[in-house]
Amino acid sequence: QIPTVCSPVKTIGREIGPLISEITLCVKYLPKVSFMMMRLLGFDEDTVDRKGPNDITSQSDSTPKSDPSFAINAQVEGLRLFLIDPVLGIHLPIAVSSLSSLKLSASKLCESLSGLQIKEFDSPPSDLHVAMEASFWADHFKLGTTRSWEPLLEPFNCFLMYEKSMSRGQGH
């Protein structure tokens, strides 16, 4: 018997759950969809060029604007995203990405609320805090004689944290 040096604590499966939401995107329409999504997320016509979402220009206002406050907690389960290519009117699958679970938490308060009394080791409310935990995988469609789905990214669990703080490096 060969000794095991390192073994995973948890085996990750490809189970996505009993309820699945499927979204199908066509490669031909991705630039238009991304432009519309940026408009939905609050970018106005001055910041998003009409040619597409790749050209984002800075606003010419000289008036200082305070960052908006927000706090979000979200949990998504059972999401599958298909990418297809319309070739000669036939939709050929390119790839599929599956998200079995996603937990997201993000918060940042505006500068006007940053005058609140905070404890010694707490971070100021104007700091940006983001934490995300996800479990996902991706497959691609292999054309040729087999015409089958092949793994592109094996099932993967991740935990990401991001923080943007003005008090970093000042002993806080």
Side-chain angles (χ1 to χ4, degrees), residues 59-109:
Q59 293 183 352
S60 59
D61 300 359
S62 61
T63 59
K65 295 183 180 179
S66 63
D67 292 335
S69 296
F70 71 91
I72 184 170
N73 285 317
Q75 183 171 351
V76 177
E77 293 181 351
L79 182 65
R80 199 177 283 151
L81 185 69
F82 286 93
L83 186 62
I84 60 172
D85 187 13
V87 177
L88 301 175
I90 302 170
H91 296 291
L92 294 174
I94 296 173
V96 62
S97 173
S98 300
L99 181 70
S100 64
S101 70
L102 171 76
K103 296 176 185 173
L104 175 70
S105 176
S107 66
K108 180 179 181 185
L109 298 178

Side-chain angles (χ1 to χ4, degrees), residues 92-169:
L92 294 174
I94 296 173
V96 62
S97 173
S98 300
L99 181 70
S100 64
S101 70
L102 171 76
K103 296 176 185 173
L104 175 70
S105 176
S107 66
K108 180 179 181 185
L109 298 178
C110 68
E111 293 295 327
S112 63
L113 298 176
S114 61
L116 300 172
Q117 294 292 331
I118 57 173
K119 297 178 184 167
E120 185 178 355
F121 293 106
D122 286 348
S123 60
S126 61
D127 291 353
L128 172 65
H129 300 278
V130 179
M132 182 187 81
E133 183 178 359
S135 177
F136 58 93
W137 62 90
D139 297 326
H140 71 94
F141 192 74
K142 184 177 178 183
L143 293 173
T145 57
T146 60
R147 298 185 70 86
S148 61
W149 290 100
E150 297 280 333
L152 182 65
L153 179 66
E154 292 295 332
F156 186 76
N157 283 338
C158 68
F159 183 76
L160 300 173
M161 293 177 61
Y162 176 78
E163 180 184 58
K164 184 177 180 182
S165 173
M166 297 300 289
S167 60
R168 282 284 179 202

Side-chain angles (χ1 to χ4, degrees), residues 14-75:
R14 288 180 169 258
E15 297 83 29
I16 200 166
L19 299 174
I20 301 171
S21 298
E22 294 184 345
I23 299 172
T24 303
L25 299 174
C26 183
V27 174
K28 179 179 177 181
Y29 300 111
L30 280 180
K32 290 180 184 178
V33 170
S34 62
F35 177 77
M36 291 173 57
M37 289 300 293
M38 290 183 73
R39 293 286 310 277
L40 179 69
L41 294 174
F43 292 99
D44 56 4
E45 296 209 17
D46 295 335
T47 57
V48 179
D49 195 323
R50 289 195 182 272
K51 289 182 269 182
N54 294 334
D55 300 325
I56 297 177
T57 59
S58 62
Q59 293 183 352
S60 59
D61 300 359
S62 61
T63 59
K65 295 183 180 179
S66 63
D67 292 335
S69 296
F70 71 91
I72 184 170
N73 285 317
Q75 183 171 351

